[in-house]
Amino acid sequence: WMELFSIRIRRTFQLVSTSQWLRERKKKRIAGMLKNPAIPLYRVAENNGFKSESTFSDYCKRNFNKTPLQLRKELLADTVR
């Protein structure tokens, strides 16, 4: 079942793997939440499965090359333009 699911995902989204699709989906969800300044950073971290803000910050630095706050500021500036 999982193999069929994996093949279908790859065909639909033209990605290398299901895990890559899941990673991209998580990044988009995080970015979407960060665009809302009413959602505290700790809540963005919690809602995306991080046990601490420190772990979330490390994730953002690795995947976005920015801290969560830097990323939020950039995303908010982009939405104003």
Side-chain angles (χ1 to χ4, degrees):
W1 180 88
M2 277 305 282
E3 186 176 340
L4 179 60
F5 174 74
S6 180
I7 291 168
R8 192 173 240 174
I9 291 291
R10 278 184 270 173
R11 283 185 186 154
T12 303
F13 297 99
Q14 300 176 354
L15 297 175
V16 176
S17 67
T18 303
S19 61
Q20 180 181 353
W21 178 79
L22 290 169
R23 280 192 301 273
E24 290 302 315
R25 185 172 172 210
K26 184 175 194 170
K27 286 173 64 175
K28 286 180 182 178
R29 186 174 57 243
I30 288 169
M33 291 183 76
L34 287 173
K35 286 180 185 178
N36 183 345
I39 303 173
L41 294 177
Y42 77 88
R43 184 72 67 207
V44 177
E46 281 178 358
N47 288 353
N48 286 284
F50 296 95
K51 297 197 185 303
S52 71
E53 285 186 70
S54 171
T55 306
F56 177 54
S57 183
D58 290 343
Y59 173 88
C60 288
K61 289 174 191 172
R62 277 193 321 275
N63 289 277
F64 296 104
N65 297 316
K66 293 172 179 44
T67 65
L69 186 56
Q70 290 170 332
L71 183 57
R72 170 170 272 170
K73 287 178 181 178
E74 180 181 293
L75 291 167
L76 289 172
D78 287 347
T79 57
V80 171
R81 292 180 195 163

